[in-house]
Amino acid sequence: MEKFTPIESRPAPLVEVGIIGWMRRNLFSSIPNTLVTLFTAYMLWIVLVPFINWAFISSDWFGTSREDCSSGGACWVFVTVRWNLFMYGFYPEDSYWRPNLAFILLIVTIAWLSIPNLPFKKWVGIAAITVYPVVAYTLLYGGFGLEVIPTHRWGGLMLTLVLALIGIVAAIPIGILLALGRRSEMPVIKMVCVIFIEFWRGVPLITILFMASVMLPLFFAGGTDADKLMRALIGIIMFQSAYMAEVVRGGLQALSKGQFEGADALGLSYWQKMNLVVLPQALKIMIPGIVNTLISLFKDTSLIVIIGLLDVLGMVRQALSDPAWLGYPAEGYLFAAFMFWIFCFSMSRYSIYLEDRLNTGHRN
Amino acid sequence: MTNEQEFIITLNNVNKWYGQFHVLKDINLNVKVGERIVICGPSGSGKSTMIRCINHLEEHQEGDIVVDGVVLNNDLKNIGQIRKEVGMVFQHFNLFPHLTVLQNCTLAPIWVRKMPQKEAEAIAMKYLERVKIPEQANKFPGQLSGGQQQRVAIARSLCMNPRVMLFDEPTSALDPEMIKEVLDVMVELAQEGMTMLCVTHEMGFAKKVADRVIFMDAGQIVEENEPEEFFNNPQSDRTKLFLSQVLGH
């Protein structure tokens, strides 16, 4: 009998590799393609060069008043002079160390949890959801011997981060519970969840914030006046958890029925099935959708300007109306946009990294 | 002698409907401890539905199902009790892709049987060796072939130390070359005295290990007999037609 010997695998042919090959394939493969490439390069040239010149080369960075902006380019002095205002709002200057410390603690905790292979992850995680909120609240607001700084003095980037972070941390678990409730076989739970989701999803966030700040106090007798920031925060959490619930529901539906049956057949209880089998897989599928919602939540926080709280964008707008600094809207808005972009872009990159890391090669 | 001691599974006049569609009609079945039963029949005949009723993946509307002395009804405690004792292997394996092979096997013992992790892992390795893939323990299901995945699924069920194993077309989704490795494991299991109910079209397997072959069509049990009699001397014309279709080539 003839013996079967498989042919050895060979490497793929090296046609055109490297940067030259890539450019020939993608930029100059035909005459129309070359024309488009040249035209695009020209457009970039006439837009980017003046912008870089304006923003970096002939711009002013340091000084104390608009007289220091003499070079004709961007006047970043407008931003640097008000840096503290943009970061902390009207928070008292001698207490800046408090939000700073809270922020550093947060960064350390998040870094600890997101870098693989660090020890004590479980304990850091538990501390992050139990101890950290108390510490951060005490640092920012006061108490335990620290001077109380009422929330109407908070502002700038600090306020944006507080709103976004609490919103995110609260909206994810509430959203998951709502989504599970909406798929529940118990009619009462299902109905409550559907009504909740459809109510909050059907109302614009601006309306919710407005109602939270103007109408809610009318319903309460005097004296039970909840903090304005707190009211806005509850509105944001309700609104975002309704959105989150629908994202989570999408992920649950994407999972094959066999996964539910496999867990059932092994005798796992409902919560064991959800926590050990269904949610770990569903959440992985949902990462892009969840991050999308979180990014939109982050940006929506600037709507609180409607109820008189000034986040980073609100502070910039207020600064623009300062008579001593009229005429620098481009710098102000670019700065605000850049602040938002940094945080949103980081979230986006982290989500892509997470998707790669959780990929076990096969989805059922 | 009560029924519970003699029979590990009893189906008594079981009826089931999907909406208006009558899928199971007056099903009566008694399974003795250690008995190996093969269930065959055309698709849509209700054979999968029947064995899925036994661990309540499907709900029946009329009749009684008693498993190991526990009456199956809507009581969650009873359902949990029965699922602990009844292992199930699916056509599409239903392994958990986010867990390694070993974690797939230890999940239920740790959480349902409350077994310490070390002990659960030792048991899992024992069964992975029995299905001849201990070396794959730390891989993810997605990195394994279909036949290997199905053997992991069998090991996963065995880790719960079940009294009965249900197989729902375990080889139907496999490439021809992989069917044998799964059947070998099942034959071994049968020879060790495990009580088995197996929905399959592998007639060779039925001839080799079954104590009884059941033929179903249109939601009812048409014929049941010992394999020899069943294949050589079918009583019903429906069975004869089916066998001529399956064995005809």
Side-chain angles (χ1 to χ4, degrees):
Chain A
M1 196 188 289
E2 203 176 327
K3 190 175 181 314
F4 168 69
T5 27
I7 299 169
E8 288 274 321
S9 297
R10 293 184 295 266
L14 300 161
V15 195
E16 293 165 290
V17 285
I19 183 96
I20 307 280
W22 180 87
M23 279 171 68
R24 259 163 84 180
R25 257 195 324 279
N26 294 297
L27 301 179
F28 304 102
S29 59
S30 65
I31 291 169
N33 203 344
T34 308
L35 289 177
V36 170
T37 303
L38 292 176
F39 179 72
T40 312
Y42 175 69
M43 291 306 284
L44 281 176
W45 180 259
I46 61 171
V47 173
L48 272 186
V49 170
F51 177 78
I52 290 169
N53 186 34
W54 174 81
F56 299 106
I57 296 166
S58 56
S59 60
D60 298 288
W61 293 79
F62 305 103
T64 49
S65 71
R66 63 186 302 161
E67 276 69 51
D68 294 310
C69 293
S70 49
S71 46
C75 180
W76 297 117
V77 180
F78 172 76
V79 174
T80 47
V81 156
R82 282 154 206 279
W83 179 260
N84 285 341
L85 219 49
F86 290 168
M87 290 297 118
Y88 307 98
F90 305 108
Y91 210 82
E93 207 158 326
D94 54 359
S95 298
Y96 281 169
W97 64 272
R98 285 160 56 175
N100 286 349
L101 183 58
F103 186 67
I104 290 167
L105 281 176
L106 175 74
I107 294 297
V108 170
T109 317
I110 291 180
W112 196 297
L113 291 175
S114 37
I115 299 171
N117 304 326
L118 279 181
F120 312 121
K121 272 220 164 114
K122 194 173 142 202
W123 296 108
V124 174
I126 291 172
I129 47 177
T130 55
V131 182
Y132 182 76
V134 179
V135 171
Y137 177 82
T138 314
L139 279 173
L140 294 177
Y141 186 75
F144 294 109
L146 286 173
E147 183 200 348
V148 170
I149 295 160
T151 52
H152 66 80
R153 300 188 66 175
W154 301 13
L157 187 66
M158 172 192 142
L159 183 64
T160 304
L161 289 177
V162 166
L163 281 169
L165 202 73
I166 300 179
I168 288 170
V169 170
I172 292 178
I174 298 178
I176 291 175
L177 288 178
L178 283 171
L180 292 178
R182 193 170 185 165
R183 284 173 55 98
S184 166
E185 281 165 13
M186 287 176 267
V188 178
I189 291 181
K190 184 176 173 156
M191 197 176 72
V192 169
C193 291
V194 170
I195 291 174
F196 183 96
I197 292 170
E198 296 303 339
F199 173 78
W200 291 104
R201 222 158 49 121
V203 184
L205 183 56
I206 283 200
T207 322
I208 294 171
L209 290 174
F210 203 65
M211 279 172 65
S213 85
V214 181
M215 287 178 64
L216 219 54
L218 297 180
F219 299 136
F220 294 130
T224 53
D225 183 33
D227 187 87
K228 194 165 159 188
L229 179 64
M230 184 72 84
R231 279 181 271 142
L233 203 46
I234 291 172
I236 290 178
I237 290 172
M238 297 291 127
F239 183 79
Q240 296 295 345
S241 44
Y243 269 88
M244 195 58 76
E246 288 302 279
V247 176
V248 175
R249 193 164 70 97
L252 291 175
Q253 271 166 356
L255 219 58
S256 85
K257 213 174 130 218
Q259 290 295 308
F260 292 83
E261 289 181 350
D264 280 338
L266 285 169
L268 296 175
S269 72
Y270 176 82
W271 289 108
Q272 287 171 343
K273 173 174 74 175
M274 287 302 161
N275 285 326
L276 301 168
V277 176
V278 175
L279 285 175
Q281 294 183 63
L283 289 171
K284 192 174 84 189
I285 307 173
M286 294 175 307
I287 289 174
I290 290 178
V291 173
N292 195 26
T293 309
L294 296 185
I295 286 177
S296 99
L297 185 159
F298 190 88
K299 292 187 289 186
D300 281 352
T301 54
S302 52
L303 289 175
I304 52 158
V305 73
I306 197 104
I307 57 170
L309 293 169
L310 297 175
D311 74 324
V312 64
L313 181 60
M315 293 307 303
V316 167
R317 287 175 58 158
Q318 207 196 38
L320 289 172
S321 58
D322 181 346
W325 285 93
L326 287 177
Y328 295 108
E331 288 86 344
Y333 285 123
L334 268 174
F335 171 74
F338 185 64
M339 284 291 115
F340 279 104
W341 183 80
I342 284 182
F343 285 96
C344 295
F345 184 67
S346 321
M347 284 194 262
S348 160
R349 295 314 298 179
Y350 185 67
S351 90
I352 291 173
Y353 161 78
L354 210 59
E355 273 179 74
D356 282 348
R357 210 162 76 80
L358 295 178
N359 186 10
T360 55
H362 173 84
R363 230 190 72 199
N364 207 329
Chain B
M1 271 302 237
T2 56
N3 264 5
E4 285 82 51
Q5 283 163 324
E6 203 177 333
F7 298 119
I8 189 153
I9 299 174
T10 311
L11 276 74
N12 191 9
N13 261 327
V14 171
N15 279 283
K16 176 175 173 58
W17 289 264
Y18 283 130
Q20 281 302 313
F21 180 60
H22 200 171
V23 272
L24 292 181
K25 300 171 186 162
D26 301 333
I27 300 286
N28 287 296
L29 178 69
N30 293 314
V31 184
K32 282 186 227 136
V33 177
E35 207 175 7
R36 277 89 55 169
I37 295 178
V38 164
I39 302 153
C40 59
S43 63
S45 60
K47 48 196 195 309
S48 287
T49 310
M50 185 180 81
I51 71 163
R52 286 161 60 89
C53 278
I54 294 172
N55 67 353
H56 205 266
L57 286 183
E58 303 280 353
E59 207 174 324
H60 63 284
Q61 278 93 34
E62 273 178 17
D64 307 311
I65 299 178
V66 182
V67 182
D68 202 15
V70 181
V71 181
L72 196 56
N73 45 28
N74 280 329
D75 190 340
L76 282 178
K77 226 177 97 199
N78 283 3
I79 296 172
Q81 186 78 26
I82 285 171
R83 284 177 178 167
K84 266 198 235 176
E85 306 303 332
V86 177
M88 182 151 198
V89 175
F90 298 87
Q91 182 178 2
H92 295 290
F93 332 130
N94 296 353
L95 293 174
F96 307 133
H98 63 302
L99 300 177
T100 63
V101 165
L102 188 65
Q103 288 168 332
N104 263 281
C105 293
T106 56
L107 187 77
I110 289 174
W111 291 92
V112 181
R113 293 244 190 254
K114 313 285 177 210
M115 199 183 275
Q117 189 178 345
K118 284 267 179 304
E119 194 186 334
E121 281 175 1
I123 290 176
M125 286 313 293
K126 185 181 101 189
Y127 284 114
L128 286 174
E129 256 155 55
R130 252 179 68 179
V131 300
K132 300 176 190 73
I133 35 174
E135 72 282 359
Q136 312 282 10
N138 292 313
K139 287 196 184 166
F140 286 99
Q143 298 164 298
L144 270 53
S145 75
Q148 290 173 324
Q149 291 193 45
Q150 193 60 296
R151 284 185 283 149
V152 172
I154 294 173
R156 180 175 74 172
S157 290
L158 290 176
C159 283
M160 282 295 279
N161 196 16
R163 301 205 57 199
V164 185
M165 286 285 283
L166 308 174
F167 292 85
D168 187 4
E169 305 204 25
T171 54
S172 306
L174 296 178
D175 286 347
E177 282 193 312
M178 294 170 182
I179 291 177
K180 190 179 171 292
E181 63 187 56
V182 172
L183 288 180
D184 284 347
V185 169
M186 289 169 61
V187 169
E188 234 172 77
L189 201 59
Q191 284 161 353
E192 284 163 22
M194 173 65 79
T195 311
M196 291 166 72
L197 266 80
C198 185
V199 173
T200 185
H201 297 120
E202 298 296 329
M203 292 304 145
F205 174 76
K207 284 179 190 163
K208 199 165 174 185
V209 303
D211 296 310
R212 222 183 335 158
V213 181
I214 291 177
F215 175 69
M216 287 181 75
D217 188 30
Q220 59 200 68
I221 295 180
V222 177
E223 186 168 346
E224 52 181 308
N225 218 330
E226 288 170 6
E228 186 130 341
E229 277 292 293
F230 180 83
F231 288 110
N232 298 336
N233 187 18
Q235 303 297 311
S236 157
D237 57 340
R238 184 65 190 90
T239 318
K240 220 173 256 178
L241 178 67
F242 176 76
L243 287 176
S244 72
Q245 307 277 15
V246 202
L247 303 173
H249 53 88

